[in-house]
Each structure stands twice: as C-alpha cells, then as structure tokens.
C-alpha cells in the first residue's frame, strides 16, 4: 500500500460524518464569522497597517532571495524537493507562508474572547488551506512531474476524474473508489439474519461461532447518520466478529434511510424502535437483560433510551457501552463548534423542516468543507492534479455511504445540544419523559480517542460524571475518531490508557489522566472481559437464529443498508 494512500485513508477515517452540533451550522454562521474578522480589522486601522507592513517586508525578502521562511518539515504538501531547490517553487511556498504567518500574527492580536477566537481561527484556516499553491497545477511540482512521466496521461485521467465527479458525484471530489466493494460479498460478511423489520429499522442477529454463548445478549445501536456495517467492515476489523468469536450473542439495529415522507421521525420514534428491539432480543434469547453498545450519535440515542427505561421502571437494560460520544458538549471543544449560533441553529431547523430531510450528499458536503484540507484539497491533488484514482478502502466506502437525516430528529439532537439536556436532572422533555441520567445505574464502559477531533476525548470523559452508575470504566484509545473503535488486536502501534486503581473516577479528565497507566495493544480484549463478566453464565449456543415469533428472513447485512432512497 502506497504511503500516500495510507495517509488519505487515515485522514478521511478520522473525518467521518459524525452527528453533533455541527448539523446546526447554517451558511449565515460562516458569513458572520467572516464579518467578525472584517469588523475587527476596521476597529483598529493602525493595527491592520502595522501587520500589512510586516507582511510587505516579508515579501521584499522573498523577492530579493533573503527570506528564511520554510515549510514545516512535517507538512506533507511541501515534501517534493522542488520546494527547496527550485527558485520559482521556493518563492511560491514562501509567499504562501508569509501570508499564513501574517494572518496568524494578526489573529493573535485581535481582541477576542475564546469562542470568537476559535471562530476566527477556523475561518482563517479554511481560507488559507484554499490558497495553498499545491492546490493548482501551476503551483504543484509533483503534478507537473507526473504529467511529464506519464506522457500527459495523468492530465487526461485527472480531467476524466473531475468530469465523473461533476456528473456522477454532484460536483464533490471523490474520496474513495467504490467499485471493488459489494455488501455481503467482500464487506459486511459476518453470517446472520434479519429477525425483525418495521418501517424504521431492522434487527439483525448474528450466528454464533462458539459452542457456548453468554446468556445475556448485546444490542448495538448505530448512529442514524451512518449505516450499521461499520461494525462489520472486514473479518480482521469487525466488532461483530470479535463479539461472536468471544461467545457474545450479538444483535445490531439497522436504521432505515429516511425519505422526505419520513422526515417526521423524531427521537421519540427512534427510542420506541430501540425499546422494540430490546423486546425482540429478549424474546429470542430468553434473557431478561440486554447489554447495549453504541457510538457517536448512537450513544446519544442510547443515553436517551437508558433514561427512558429508568424513568418507566423497565429493568431490561444490562450494561451500557458508549464509544466516542459526547453528552456534555462545550462550544470550545472543537473550533468548528464555535461557528454554531442560536440563530444559525434556528435557520438550519427551518430549512430542514421545509425539506423534510437533510440529504446525505448535503451533509457530506458540509462536513467536507469544515475540514477542507483533509477532505477536499487532498483529493483534488490526488484525483485531478496527479490523475490517480481515489483509494479503495472499506472505511472510506462506508463513510461515503451516508444516509439522510430526518428533520425532526435533527431538531431533537439540536435540542439536546442547546439545552445540555444530559447534564440536567429531569428538566428537558425528550421521547415522552424528562431526561435524567442520574437515575441510570447500569455499569458503564466509555471510550475516547486521543486524536479524535470530532468528539474530543476530554469531552467524552465528561459523560463519566453524568450517570448514577457506581461502576464506570473509562478507556482512552491512542487513535482518532473511527480508529478508536476499529482497533482490533494485532496492531503493533496500538495502545490505550486506563485508570490504575479501581474505584470512582475523578471529576475531570486531567485528574484522571494523572492516575492512568499505558497499556500496549488493543482495548478490545479489555472491553470483552468487561462485557463477559457482566453477561451471565454460559449456555449452549442456539442451533438456529430467531424464534417462532421472530423468524429469520433476509441474510445480513439486511435490506435497509442497500435500499435506494
């Protein structure tokens, strides 16, 4: 695998569409952020003149060959030797770095609070990323060499790629070559069957691979914005396979991709569906308890579910695992979050209600422009300037296979964000009850990722303080957003952090980190031991899937993951 392909895969895998407050970013929020920069510029003309003069001095040094500006050795955009030895390209890089330096110095001097500063930095970085000389054929020496080396074929292929994206990908640059993948054949191949289906979901049961299984089953609740087979990409990194191979009776919800007519589906509908799924799993396995696992927005849904079950006195919930999920967000957690405004969220709500759903393509486009260097310009260079196909990786294929988001559910997620509902005790109405996590006493396993920029680990740690659970385990994986979850044994670079001493977790992430130990390897074995210890005794594995009431129908991964909307 080429180094550039690995880089593209890793960057995109860490930039997957994650449902959070960013769904409430409206275009007016971008405009207001730019207006903030212009306002601050006009408020102190002398400051602007001073920084312009400093930038002009840098430009003079560049023109006279006296500039010592040089790219960061780790900046992958300027790895080609031409940036160092060719006077034309060296000057081009220095002009760009001079603008970058000038912008940074100017922003540091602006009188802004933390939220405004994050907003200004975020918008400035988007602008600067777009100005990089590497984004054009004239300013990219690697692309120019590729044209010569290929006899012009790379230029032709690049134009073909651009045309195909314009016609077949709604103008967005492709992040993955989808052609090699087919669901059920070389991706999502674990054996199982749909054992329940209604309008909003399918429940899949996976075939056991051991002679004995633990009596308490596990149900996975996936995000509504992505498809469930992230849990079963390939045999070597399948959470589902890991569970069944370790004797866990495994069930997964597969959400239906909503159309405009289903835009009324809200959190209440999804929670009711989760309650039905728990009943199905309980009926098939004969277990009065069901362990639940969920990630990202699925974790927010599972938390509302746990609150609802506690409020209604339903004892079916066993343990709860939350992966890379933020329940107590703060505007300064990520720079992109600083764009979210009350007015912007209201406008986003109104537009979504008018359309019925937020289209998957629009969601993907919005997320891409929030991280343009990783999700746009990298692929512009690779696909168009170098004339290469985008990488063919399973996680990128899954990420490109996004779903629509119903407007009602979007509104409910924004309500959770605006009201900080999970931090309150019985103050916010959601899914037919007052949300109160302090009444949830299930054992908790919570996962964060060190380099996760979508759900920063310190934000995920705050969830440890919200529940009424006496047994809470927090694990910090040395990975980004998706890699934190897809972290099977065998990776020599894998490691995680866990609290040395058992007992109550500290109030803050910083305090927790001081009392941790580093463990080499994947966190999956630790998690599996934790789950198994809370899954009852071993019983003979079922000979068949489903039961007389819920009979197996279509093979996994089911119909809803391939249904066209």
């Amino acid at each position: 695998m080429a180094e550039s392909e690995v880089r593209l895969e890793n960057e995109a895998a860490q930039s997957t569409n994650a449902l959070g407050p960013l769904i409430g970013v409206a275009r007016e929020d971008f405009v207001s952020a730019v207006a903030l920069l212009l306002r601050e510029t006009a408020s102190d003309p002398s400051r602007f003149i001073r920084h312009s003069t400093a930038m002009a001095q840098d430009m003079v040094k560049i023109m006279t060959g006296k500039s010592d500006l040089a790219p960061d050795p780790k900046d992958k955009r300027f790895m080609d030797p031409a940036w160092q030895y060719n006077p034309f390209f060296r000057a081009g890089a220095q002009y760009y770095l001079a603008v970058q330096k000038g912008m940074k110095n100017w922003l540091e001097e602006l009188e802004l609070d933390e939220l405004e500063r994050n907003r200004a930095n975020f918008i400035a970085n988007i602008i600067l990323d777009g100005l990089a000389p590497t984004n054009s054929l004239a300013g990219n020496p690697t692309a120019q060499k590729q044209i010569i080396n290929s006899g012009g074929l790379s230029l032709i292929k690049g134009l073909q790629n651009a045309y195909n994206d314009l016609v077949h990908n709604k103008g967005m640059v492709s992040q993955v070559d989808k052609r090699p993948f087919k669901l059920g054949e070389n991706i999502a191949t674990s054996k199982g069957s749909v054992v329940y289906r209604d309008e909003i979901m399918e429940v899949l049961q996976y075939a056991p691979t051991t002679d004995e299984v633990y009596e308490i089953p596990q149900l996975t609740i996936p995000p509504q914005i992505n498809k469930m087979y992230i849990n079963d990409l390939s045999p070597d990194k399948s959470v589902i396979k890991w569970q069944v191979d370790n004797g866990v009776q495994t069930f997964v919800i597969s959400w239906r991709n909503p159309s405009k007519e289903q835009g009324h589906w809200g959190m209440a509908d999804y929670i009711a569906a989760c309650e039905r799924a728990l009943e199905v799993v309980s009926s098939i396995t004969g277990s009065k308890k069901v362990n639940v696992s969920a990630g990202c927005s699925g974790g927010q849904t599972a938390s509302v579910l746990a609150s609802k079950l506690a409020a209604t006195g339903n004892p079916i919930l066993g343990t709860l695992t939350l992966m890379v999920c933020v329940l107590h967000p703060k505007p300064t957690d990520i720079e992109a979050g600083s764009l979210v405004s009350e007015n912007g969220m209201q406008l986003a709500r109104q537009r979504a209600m008018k359309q019925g759903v937020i289209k998957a393509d629009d969601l993907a486009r919005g997320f891409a422009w929030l991280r343009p260097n990783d999700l746009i310009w990298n692929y512009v260079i690779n696909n168009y300037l170098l004339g290469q196909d985008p990488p063919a990786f399973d996680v990128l294929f899954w990420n490109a296979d996004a779903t629509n988001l119903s407007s009602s559910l979007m509104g409910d997620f924004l309500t959770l964000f605006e009201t900080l509902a999970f931090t309150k005790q019985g103050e916010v109405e959601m899914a037919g009850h007052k949300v109160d996590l302090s009444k949830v006493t299930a054992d908790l396993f919570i996962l964060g990722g060190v380099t996760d920029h979508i759900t920063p680990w310190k934000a995920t740690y705050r969830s440890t303080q919200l529940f009424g659970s006496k047994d809470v385990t927090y694990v910090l994986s040395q990975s980004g957003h998706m890699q934190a979850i897809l972290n099977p044994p065998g990776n020599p670079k894998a490691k995680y952090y866990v609290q040395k001493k058992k007992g109550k977790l500290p109030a803050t992430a910083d305090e927790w980190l001081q009392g941790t130990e580093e463990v080499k390897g994947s966190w999956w074995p630790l998690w599996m031991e934790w789950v198994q210890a809370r899954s009852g005794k071993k019983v003979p594995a079922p000979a068949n899937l489903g039961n007389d009431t819920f009979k197996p129908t279509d093979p996994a991964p089911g119909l809803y993951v391939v249904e066209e909307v």
Side-chain angles (χ1 to χ4, degrees):
M1 187 184 296
E3 183 179 347
S4 61
E5 290 182 330
V6 173
R7 173 176 54 79
L8 287 171
E9 178 193 25
N10 289 339
E11 285 162 352
Q14 293 188 54
S15 306
T16 49
N17 298 348
L19 189 58
L22 298 187
I23 58 172
V25 176
R27 53 181 172 266
E28 285 81 2
D29 290 321
F30 284 92
V31 174
S32 66
V34 174
L36 169 69
L37 293 176
L38 296 176
R39 185 193 72 209
E40 286 298 316
T41 301
S43 68
D44 190 348
S46 62
R47 180 172 54 202
F48 177 72
I49 293 172
R50 186 169 65 256
H51 285 288
S52 297
T53 302
M55 191 179 297
Q57 291 171 347
D58 275 334
M59 297 298 180
V60 171
K61 289 181 180 178
I62 294 169
M63 286 186 288
T64 57
K66 297 179 180 179
S67 174
D68 58 359
L69 289 173
D72 185 329
K74 297 180 181 179
D75 191 334
K76 56 188 174 293
R77 295 172 296 180
F78 299 101
M79 293 295 187
D80 194 294
W83 294 109
Q84 182 178 355
Y85 298 111
N86 183 293
F88 171 78
F89 287 115
R90 184 172 64 248
Q94 289 177 331
Y95 280 122
Y96 173 68
L97 295 171
V99 173
Q100 194 176 55
K101 172 187 169 185
M103 178 74 81
K104 180 177 180 291
N105 291 338
W106 173 59
L107 288 175
E108 286 178 350
E109 205 174 306
L110 294 183
E111 296 173 2
L112 304 171
D113 61 31
E114 184 180 9
L115 189 63
E116 289 177 326
R117 187 167 302 282
N118 283 348
R119 184 176 296 181
N121 285 332
F122 185 75
I123 290 297
N125 285 335
I126 288 179
I127 295 171
L128 288 170
D129 286 345
L131 294 176
T134 48
N135 297 337
S136 68
L137 185 59
N140 193 314
T142 307
Q144 293 177 19
K145 293 174 186 176
Q146 184 83 338
I147 293 175
I148 297 171
N149 294 338
S150 67
L153 292 179
S154 66
L155 182 60
I156 296 172
K157 182 65 188 310
L159 291 171
Q160 289 176 337
N161 288 342
Y163 174 79
N164 287 333
D165 283 341
L166 189 64
V167 175
H168 303 297
N169 203 38
K170 300 189 177 180
M172 278 295 293
V173 60
S174 296
Q175 297 175 4
V176 61
D177 183 356
K178 300 178 181 179
R179 293 171 297 182
F181 300 106
K182 190 167 180 60
L183 286 176
E185 292 186 9
N186 60 1
I187 194 169
T189 58
S190 290
K191 302 299 181 185
S193 293
V194 175
V195 291
Y196 176 82
R197 179 186 291 124
D198 60 24
E199 185 186 24
I200 197 171
M201 71 170 178
E202 294 173 331
V203 177
L204 290 94
Q205 180 184 11
Y206 285 85
T209 57
T210 55
D211 294 334
E212 290 184 318
V213 295
Y214 288 89
E215 61 180 342
I216 298 177
Q218 178 133 319
L219 173 68
T220 296
I221 301 174
Q224 292 90 338
I225 197 175
N226 294 116
K227 294 185 178 178
M228 51 70 64
Y229 63 87
I230 184 61
N231 297 284
D232 188 37
L233 284 177
S234 59
D236 63 331
K237 51 186 172 187
S238 169
V239 179
I240 289 171
K241 185 177 186 299
W242 178 252
Q243 291 183 179
V244 295
D245 285 351
N246 282 278
V248 174
Q249 298 188 71
T250 301
F251 295 79
V252 180
I253 289 175
S254 177
W255 299 118
R256 190 175 191 180
N257 192 359
S259 62
K260 183 177 181 180
E261 292 71 30
Q262 289 136 359
H264 62 276
W265 288 349
M267 184 62 77
D269 300 288
Y270 283 94
I271 296 303
C274 290
E275 291 177 301
R276 286 197 299 276
L278 289 172
E279 293 169 2
V280 170
V281 174
S282 177
S283 172
I284 291 174
T285 62
S287 174
K288 294 181 180 180
K289 291 282 187 181
V290 178
N291 295 332
V292 170
S293 173
C296 211
S297 66
Q300 294 176 317
T301 304
S303 297
V304 176
L305 171 67
S307 174
K308 175 76 177 292
L309 294 173
T312 57
N314 189 336
I316 196 170
L317 179 64
T319 65
L320 180 59
T321 296
L322 300 177
M323 305 179 186
V324 294
C325 169
V326 175
L327 302 181
H328 182 186
K330 293 184 179 181
T332 54
D333 283 340
I334 54 176
E335 283 190 347
S338 65
L339 288 181
V340 180
S341 69
E342 185 176 341
N343 180 58
M345 284 193 284
Q346 187 60 34
L347 289 170
R349 269 196 178 101
Q350 292 172 1
R351 289 171 184 146
M353 292 300 292
K354 186 176 182 180
Q355 297 171 356
V357 295
I358 307 176
K359 295 279 191 176
D361 293 332
D362 293 336
L363 280 168
R365 183 177 287 105
F367 276 104
W369 279 107
L370 291 174
R371 290 186 63 81
N373 213 36
D374 292 338
L375 298 180
I376 294 178
W377 300 120
N378 267 334
Y379 295 96
V380 166
I381 294 169
N382 182 78
N383 303 0
Y384 303 163
L385 301 187
L386 299 179
Q388 297 177 354
D389 287 327
F393 294 127
D394 47 18
V395 68
L396 301 186
F397 172 80
W398 165 82
N399 189 46
D401 193 15
T403 62
N404 300 332
L405 177 65
S406 74
S407 58
S408 292
L409 183 62
M410 169 193 166
D412 287 337
F413 274 118
L414 290 180
T415 296
L416 292 173
F417 172 75
E418 287 176 293
T419 62
L420 295 177
F422 292 121
T423 70
K424 311 292 176 60
Q425 295 183 3
E427 295 181 26
V428 180
E429 179 85 21
M430 183 68 65
H433 83 295
K434 300 282 190 178
V435 176
D436 186 354
L437 294 184
S438 69
K439 293 182 178 179
V440 178
T441 58
D443 289 356
L444 283 174
F445 187 102
I446 300 178
L447 174 75
V450 172
T451 56
D452 188 345
H453 68 272
I454 297 175
T455 55
W457 81 266
K458 290 186 179 181
T460 67
Y461 183 84
R462 295 183 202 122
S463 299
T464 64
Q465 308 299 306
L466 301 177
F467 292 82
S469 309
K470 293 182 179 179
D471 188 330
V472 182
T473 298
Y474 185 84
V475 170
L476 180 59
S477 175
Q478 183 70 23
S479 308
H481 189 66
M482 288 316 304
Q483 286 102 329
I485 298 176
L486 301 180
N487 198 319
N491 179 1
K493 296 182 179 180
K495 61 182 178 179
Y496 63 90
Y497 302 88
V498 68
Q499 187 172 252
K500 292 179 185 177
K501 297 180 181 179
K502 291 184 178 180
K504 187 176 180 180
L505 298 183
T508 67
D510 289 329
E511 290 178 78
W512 174 85
L513 193 59
Q514 291 176 4
T516 62
E517 61 179 340
E518 179 184 303
V519 183
K520 298 293 184 183
S522 165
W523 60 271
W524 282 18
L526 174 70
W527 175 57
M528 187 49 57
E529 289 178 11
W530 185 90
V531 170
Q532 289 171 338
R534 294 160 177 79
S535 297
K537 64 179 185 293
K538 286 187 175 182
V539 297
N544 302 298
L545 300 182
N547 60 11
D548 291 340
T549 305
F550 302 106
K551 297 179 180 179
T553 55
D554 299 286
L559 300 184
Y560 281 173
V561 294
V562 295
E563 184 180 51
E564 296 290 339
V565 176

